[in-house]
């Protein structure tokens, strides 16, 4: 049976050779880059805004206990319910029980990566409850039975023609490829489900401690409909989503929008902090917030990597990453793809199974440069590599090879001798045309590339003869 690492390598080889897929992703990210550059140029000082966001998130993460309790107290005071879920199972059980107790048959869900993380929709569907994704991109991938491709743009891997064919097949949508008509088809279809649903589920971009509100930001207004029409609303969020003050949104909201899509501000920004009050015309009768830990407390205890919890899920690091752009989002086989996913997933799902993601990086640092909360992503990938070695998660053959290498490299004479033998052997293998054969020790490299020319003389001997920098 294949493991996540070999699955990743197989998918990466397929996707990187798929030029149509790469072209589609390049087009999408090129457009994003133009919008992102325009967005950043609107700031008087983008670096200062990043610094401010980092400071806010670090303050929240360093005092998570205090701010979460403050948030809970305010929600409860308004008649809302707060459930602390230590694991995915607990979160799923709470929400499915709630739905069962209220005889819920239909749920409208707005985009939530945490709901993906705990596999919420399949658990509800198993109970015979229909769950409809209402974010357009999520709706499209749900129709295809696929997970989201990207944190912010879940259907970015699909062309307009593919979406048109999908709507024609599943929604009886006709032959149009016009974006506004495609949106109208989805809207007509989804509008009915909003009115039928007894429960709405959303994520939360931020949990505001001082006012006890959840802050949700969308471009389609689907979360607002999902919060105001059904009888029950459930918001699910990781514990790291808390921020200290309402005023912090003045910088976090625009920075999230700019980093996510290049917009100055997202179209719909909503705060909700409890069920409908007697004088209010709409809103849910019951309001629940599920606060998910699922490994985050362990990350909080790790002083070296704690700042990974600062992430605001803007997706900018995915767009900046040359590996993501080449292999695509589904290749990672995880809820969170790209650099942040490669850093976070080993913490959430185990370093032994997901350490390979730490190597899905050229360590160029583009992700770190793009991150609006200044998470040092590429160094965290190195930390994960080091931890995998220290915790003995690497294969014994690799560990022996590195021990041998260390003992060789510690002696100049041994190193020169073995390097000369290695050069001679490689020259012999390539001159006999055995490149890419099982005898070729560089086969993982030469499988897809020409063999490098093997020099006859070592760098040391050239140096001794004075050929090289003085
Ligand atoms: S790590 Fe930074 S760039 Fe990546 S999603 Fe999180 S906030 Fe955005």
């Amino acid at each position: 049976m294949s493991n996540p690492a070999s699955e990743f390598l197989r998918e990466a080889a397929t996707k990187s050779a798929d030029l149509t897929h790469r072209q589609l992703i390049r087009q999408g990210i090129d457009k994003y880059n133009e919008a992102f550059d325009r967005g950043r140029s609107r700031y008087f000082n983008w670096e200062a805004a990043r610094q401010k966001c980092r400071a806010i998130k670090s303050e929240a993460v360093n005092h998570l206990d205090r701010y979460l309790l403050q948030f809970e107290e305010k929600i409860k005071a308004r008649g809302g319910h707060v459930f602390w879920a230590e694991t995915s199972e607990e979160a799923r059980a709470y929400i499915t029980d709630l739905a069962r107790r209220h005889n819920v048959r239909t749920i409208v869900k707005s985009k939530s990566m945490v709901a993906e993380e705990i596999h919420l929709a399949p658990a509800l569907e198993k109970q015979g409850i229909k769950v409809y994704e209402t974010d357009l991109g999520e709706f499209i991938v749900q129709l295809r039975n696929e997970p989201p491709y990207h944190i912010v743009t879940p259907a970015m891997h699909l062309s307009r023609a593919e979406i048109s064919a999908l709507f024609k097949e599943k929604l009886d949508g006709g032959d149009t490829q016009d974006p506004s008509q495609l949106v109208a088809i989805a809207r007509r279809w989804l509008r009915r489900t909003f009115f039928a649903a007894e429960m709405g589920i959303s994520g939360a971009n931020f949990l505001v401690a001082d006012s006890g509100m959840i802050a949700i930001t969308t471009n389609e207004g689907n979360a607002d409909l999902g919060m105001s029409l059904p009888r029950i609303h459930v918001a699910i969020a990781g514990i790291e989503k808390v921020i200290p003050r309402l005023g912090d949104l003045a910088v976090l909201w625009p920075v999230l929008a700019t980093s996510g899509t290049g917009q100055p501000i997202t179209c719909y920004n909503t705060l909700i902090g409890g069920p409908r009050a007697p004088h209010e015309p709409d809103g849910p009768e019951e309001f629940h917030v599920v606060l998910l830990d699922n490994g985050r407390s362990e990350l909080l205890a790790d002083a070296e990597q704690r700042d990974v919890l600062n992430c605001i899920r803007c997706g900018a690091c995915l767009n900046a990453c040359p590996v993501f752009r080449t292999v695509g989002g589904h290749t990672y086989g995880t809820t969170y793809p790209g650099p942040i996913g490669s850093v976070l997933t080993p913490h959430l799902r185990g370093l032994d199974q997901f350490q390979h993601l730490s190597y899905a990086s050229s360590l160029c640092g583009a992700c770190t440069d793009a991150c609006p909360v200044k998470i040092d992503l590429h160094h965290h990938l190195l930390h994960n590599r080091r931890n995998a070695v220290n915790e003995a998660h690497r294969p014994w053959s690799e560990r022996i090879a590195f021990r041998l290498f260390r003992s060789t490299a510690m002696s100049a004479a041994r190193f020169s001798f073995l390097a000369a033998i290695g050069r001679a052997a490689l020259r012999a293998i390539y001159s006999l045309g055995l490149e890419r054969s099982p005898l070729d020790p560089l086969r993982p490299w030469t499988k897809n590339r020409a063999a490098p020319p093997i020099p006859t003389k070592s760098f040391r001997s050239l140096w001794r003869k004075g050929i090289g920098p003085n």
Side-chain angles (χ1 to χ4, degrees):
M1 207 175 84
S2 63
N3 62 23
S6 42
E7 203 60 54
F8 177 87
L9 286 175
R10 200 176 43 243
E11 262 305 291
T14 310
K15 276 292 178 325
S16 52
D18 180 346
L19 299 185
T20 313
H21 171 262
R22 287 176 65 173
Q23 166 83 355
L24 211 56
I25 301 309
R26 195 169 49 234
Q27 275 170 2
I29 291 181
D30 282 352
K31 273 193 206 142
Y32 163 83
N33 284 338
E34 277 172 36
F36 185 34
D37 287 345
R38 257 199 319 277
R40 276 187 300 193
S41 69
R42 290 192 196 100
Y43 283 74
F44 177 66
N45 187 336
W46 174 247
E47 267 316 296
R50 288 176 79 207
Q51 196 59 52
K52 179 72 184 163
C53 290
R54 180 175 176 84
I56 293 168
K57 285 294 301 181
S58 296
E59 181 192 348
V61 166
N62 288 334
H63 302 96
L64 211 52
D65 49 347
R66 169 159 35 107
Y67 289 125
L68 283 169
L69 290 175
Q70 192 183 1
F71 171 80
E72 179 187 32
E73 191 188 312
K74 301 262 174 191
I75 293 277
K76 284 185 167 169
R78 277 194 219 97
H81 305 267
V82 176
F83 179 72
W84 299 77
E86 201 179 320
T87 61
S88 300
E89 292 75 28
E90 285 181 17
R92 279 198 306 264
Y94 180 80
I95 299 170
T96 45
D97 280 358
L98 184 69
R100 257 204 317 260
R101 273 192 281 120
H102 287 81
N103 286 324
V104 170
R105 309 305 323 150
T106 307
I107 292 177
V108 279
K109 182 176 156 291
S110 64
K111 198 163 159 312
S112 157
M113 292 312 291
V114 168
E116 295 293 329
E117 179 185 326
I118 66 166
H119 305 293
L120 181 59
L124 289 161
E125 301 260 358
K126 241 190 221 161
Q127 303 293 325
I129 301 165
K130 201 77 201 113
V131 182
Y132 293 97
E133 297 290 345
T134 60
D135 169 90
L136 181 59
E138 293 272 350
F139 177 64
I140 292 168
V141 292
Q142 185 186 34
L143 288 176
R144 286 171 60 94
N145 266 327
E146 277 180 356
Y149 183 92
H150 185 286
I151 294 176
V152 174
T153 44
M156 77 179 291
H157 59 304
L158 299 173
S159 67
R160 219 185 288 170
E162 285 172 304
I163 294 168
S164 164
L166 181 73
F167 280 14
K168 188 174 174 187
E169 183 200 333
K170 306 267 178 165
L171 308 179
D172 204 10
D175 278 319
T176 182
Q177 285 193 25
D178 178 79
S180 54
Q181 288 186 27
L182 290 170
V183 169
I185 293 165
R187 181 181 290 131
R188 265 198 308 276
W189 207 89
L190 282 171
R191 196 53 65 117
R192 289 197 297 266
T193 64
F194 278 115
F195 285 104
E198 300 96 355
M199 180 185 271
I201 295 179
S202 72
N205 295 98
F206 304 103
L207 308 166
V208 187
D210 72 349
S211 53
M213 297 272 188
I214 63 167
I216 301 192
T217 178
T218 71
N219 271 320
E220 296 156 28
N222 55 313
D224 303 73
L225 280 175
M227 283 187 287
S228 37
L229 292 171
R231 283 197 333 265
I232 307 157
H233 186 77
V234 181
I236 175 158
I239 51 173
E240 80 284 9
K241 288 295 179 80
V242 76
I243 57 168
R245 294 158 295 267
L246 192 62
D248 295 330
L249 290 174
V251 62
L252 285 168
W253 257 343
V255 165
L256 173 60
T258 301
S259 300
T261 56
Q263 289 167 282
I265 190 86
T266 316
C267 298
Y268 298 89
N269 295 289
T270 304
L271 290 158
I272 178 168
R276 173 185 358 173
H279 61 279
E280 287 174 340
D282 55 27
E285 290 161 23
E286 272 193 35
F287 181 79
H288 298 254
V289 181
V290 177
L291 298 174
L292 180 74
D293 187 317
N294 205 26
R296 287 159 173 83
S297 291
E298 277 173 38
L299 191 49
L300 184 67
D302 180 345
E304 188 178 55
Q305 295 204 283
R306 176 183 297 172
D307 73 339
V308 174
L309 294 171
N310 288 0
C311 174
I312 56 172
R313 306 280 189 268
C314 70
C317 57
L318 281 63
N319 300 334
C321 177
V323 175
F324 178 90
R325 287 204 300 260
T326 307
V327 305
H330 287 154
T331 297
Y332 290 79
T334 55
T335 305
Y336 305 101
I340 182 61
S342 298
V343 172
L344 189 60
T345 308
H347 290 279
L348 301 183
R349 296 178 63 186
L351 190 57
D352 53 338
Q353 286 291 301
F354 289 92
Q355 54 168 300
H356 62 281
L357 296 178
S358 320
Y359 299 87
S361 168
S362 64
L363 299 178
C364 64
C367 49
T368 302
D369 289 345
C371 179
V373 285
K374 296 173 84 75
I375 302 173
D376 198 349
L377 289 156
H378 65 300
H379 279 108
H380 286 318
L381 289 170
L382 277 175
H383 295 146
N384 281 354
R385 290 184 193 183
R386 180 207 55 203
N387 294 345
V389 172
N390 288 347
E391 292 171 28
H393 291 308
R394 301 302 302 162
W396 61 266
S397 51
E398 183 184 294
R399 279 183 277 149
I400 290 175
F402 271 104
R403 285 221 175 107
L404 286 173
F405 175 75
R406 186 175 60 184
S407 91
T408 307
M410 296 297 280
S411 151
R414 264 203 302 270
F415 190 87
S416 297
F417 176 67
L418 289 174
I421 291 180
R423 278 197 309 280
L426 277 175
R427 274 202 309 278
I429 287 167
Y430 293 151
S431 65
L432 291 171
L434 295 172
E435 192 176 322
R436 300 190 185 95
S437 78
L439 284 178
D440 180 0
L442 300 184
R443 199 149 52 106
W445 173 268
T446 55
K447 208 162 64 172
N448 295 311
R449 306 168 184 87
I454 308 299
T456 48
K457 293 199 168 21
S458 71
F459 176 76
R460 281 164 61 87
S461 64
L462 292 175
W463 184 276
R464 276 211 203 93
K465 287 183 185 147
I467 308 168
N470 289 313

